[in-house]
Amino acid sequence: MKKQTVLFVCLGNICRSPAAEAIFLDLINKKGLNDSFIVDSAGTGSWHIGKKADTRMRIASRKRGVEIFSRARQINSNDFEKFNYIVAMDDSNYENIIDMKSRKSLSDFASIKKIQNFRSVFHEIEVPDPYFGGDEGFDNVLDILEDSVSGFLDTIY
Ligand code: 4NP
């Protein structure tokens, strides 16, 4: 079977989307679906290219048994024809992705989604940006993502 390809996207690619990527990888690993997916994450911004995920996010995630290994990169034009799904963490990321697609007349191949449309338990309409807040914000993001990423996987597989 052809692999499904999924790209999670936030602003900096050091907090939310690397966590979403790691949670998705952990879920497919536990379900024995590793060979069915290619998973990656990216940021709409370029500030943190090449950096590991934010230490606070890596620690919060590790406490839940999920390691985050990704290095930040910026979304690029090829991603729109490489990934089946481009999944934004908040409305602003979503708008930026849609805007980039139309400005550059990019491929219609990728289906562009908001992760929060797959939530079942949490009622936030976006995954809040934890970068400028306290440690509790990182746990909140992980709670929201565990719910919505699992809902996303159930929807596409
Ligand atoms: P992320 O969080 O989009 O979840 O990776 C942010 C990381 C860095 C910045 C903003 C948000 N920043 O402004 O540098």
Side-chain angles (χ1 to χ4, degrees):
M1 201 174 110
K2 201 167 183 312
K3 290 186 192 226
Q4 300 235 57
T5 49
V6 180
L7 180 69
F8 294 101
V9 177
C10 61
L11 177 60
N13 193 212
I14 55 169
C15 299
R16 293 164 293 172
S17 60
E21 177 189 2
I23 289 168
F24 190 95
L25 285 170
D26 184 59
L27 276 176
I28 59 172
N29 189 35
K30 286 179 175 147
K31 290 175 187 263
L33 300 175
N34 290 356
D35 292 340
S36 300
F37 291 95
I38 292 172
V39 189
D40 197 2
S41 66
T44 56
S46 60
W47 310 285
H48 302 287
I49 289 172
K51 301 244 181 74
K52 285 184 185 174
D54 189 288
T55 306
R56 297 165 295 176
M57 184 54 94
R58 282 189 286 122
I59 288 172
S61 185
R62 184 176 300 142
K63 280 189 189 151
R64 298 176 184 220
V66 176
E67 291 286 335
I68 300 177
F69 294 108
S70 75
R71 293 273 180 174
R73 74 170 178 88
Q74 190 172 26
I75 188 170
N76 63 59
S77 302
N78 291 337
D79 291 327
F80 290 79
E81 55 195 47
K82 177 172 171 195
F83 289 94
N84 297 116
Y85 298 98
I86 297 179
V87 187
M89 297 295 114
D90 67 24
D91 287 354
S92 161
N93 308 148
Y94 180 82
E95 296 302 333
N96 284 332
I97 295 163
I98 296 287
D99 184 53
M100 177 178 176
K101 182 182 160 183
S102 88
R103 253 187 307 113
K104 300 189 170 193
S105 303
L106 300 177
S107 165
D108 273 332
F109 176 76
S111 175
I112 302 169
K113 307 281 191 195
K114 294 180 192 178
I115 191 66
Q116 280 309 86
N117 290 341
F118 302 95
R119 71 193 190 278
S120 59
V121 180
F122 288 86
H123 296 295
E124 283 91 338
I125 52 165
E126 303 183 295
V127 184
D129 184 347
Y131 187 66
F132 294 107
D135 286 350
E136 68 288 349
F138 291 83
D139 268 316
N140 183 40
V141 165
L142 290 170
D143 286 340
I144 295 169
L145 286 176
E146 282 171 6
D147 175 34
S148 49
V149 168
S150 156
F152 172 65
L153 176 59
D154 288 345
T155 304
I156 66 167
Y157 193 81

